[in-house]
């Protein structure tokens, strides 16, 4: 299979990821190269988190793993437009009729709708209509399939 990895891929820059976030991504089977190619990084300041989520109460979430998104053509969507985060201190779901007290593992910007997650290599594979496409839930699973050479897109949440 042809390697369609981004040509500008760099190793993980020092300080871009908190140790717990790097460990979490590696536990999901992601290589350091794939982590770098996907652009995962840590948001340490509540002001950064608030800007991504477009809400002011982000100070209670702690630092967060940022999961940037791409368009199908491989171009990055600006973080200010859309990305998701995985907080170190997740909120709990307290909406009526929902599983009260269950942690909300991933957060999307206020008012956003479901977006498809396109991992870096998959973007190049999608132009071939004969390519088998896998669809999975979440960014990390999609990135892992992509790393293993499968064309894959992820859905940012199971409620879709």
């Amino acid at each position: 299979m042809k390697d369609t990895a981004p040509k500008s891929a760099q190793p993980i820059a020092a300080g871009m990821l908190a140790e717990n976030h790097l460990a979490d991504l590696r536990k999901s089977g992601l290589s350091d190269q794939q982590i770098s190619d996907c652009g995962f990084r840590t948001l340490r300041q509540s002001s950064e988190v608030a800007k991504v989520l477009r809400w002011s109460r982000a100070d209670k979430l702690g630092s967060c793993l940022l999961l940037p998104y791409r368009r199908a053509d491989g171009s990055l969507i600006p973080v200010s437009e859309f990305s998701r985060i995985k907080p170190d201190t997740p909120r709990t779901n307290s909406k009526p009729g929902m599983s009260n007290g269950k942690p909300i593992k991933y957060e999307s910007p206020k008012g956003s709708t479901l977006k498809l997650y396109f991992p870096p290599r998959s973007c190049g594979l999608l132009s071939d209509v004969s390519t088998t496409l896998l669809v999975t839930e979440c960014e990390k699973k999609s990135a892992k399939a992509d790393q293993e050479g499968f064309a894959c897109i992820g859905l940012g949440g199971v409620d879709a």
Side-chain angles (χ1 to χ4, degrees), residues 65-69 82-86 106-109 139 156-157:
L65 174 62
L66 176 74
L67 308 162
Y69 271 58
F82 186 85
S83 60
R84 288 188 0 123
I85 63 162
K86 182 179 183 187
Y106 294 87
E107 297 276 5
S108 299
E139 300 83 2

Side-chain angles (χ1 to χ4, degrees), residues 96-117:
M98 302 298 279
S99 302
N100 288 340
K102 184 178 176 184
I104 300 170
K105 294 181 189 178
Y106 294 87
E107 297 276 5
S108 299
K110 182 179 179 179
S112 66
T113 59
L114 174 73
K115 304 272 191 261
L116 296 177
Y117 179 78

Side-chain angles (χ1 to χ4, degrees), residues 42-91:
T42 296
L43 299 178
R44 292 177 171 81
Q45 303 296 319
S46 60
S47 60
E48 294 176 300
V49 176
K51 191 179 283 188
V52 169
L53 294 178
R54 297 183 215 128
W55 44 291
S56 59
R57 300 192 49 115
D59 56 321
K60 299 179 192 272
L61 298 177
S63 67
C64 299
L65 174 62
L66 176 74
L67 308 162
Y69 271 58
R70 286 178 162 57
R71 295 177 184 88
D73 67 5
S75 62
L76 280 170
I77 296 173
V79 172
S80 60
E81 189 177 317
F82 186 85
S83 60
R84 288 188 0 123
I85 63 162
K86 182 179 183 187
D88 286 353
T89 312
R91 298 180 302 136

Side-chain angles (χ1 to χ4, degrees), residues 84 106 117 136-143 153-157:
R84 288 188 0 123
Y106 294 87
Y117 179 78
T136 187
E137 185 237 343
C138 93
E139 300 83 2
K140 292 190 301 182
K141 290 175 189 166
S142 180
I153 56 173
L155 301 176

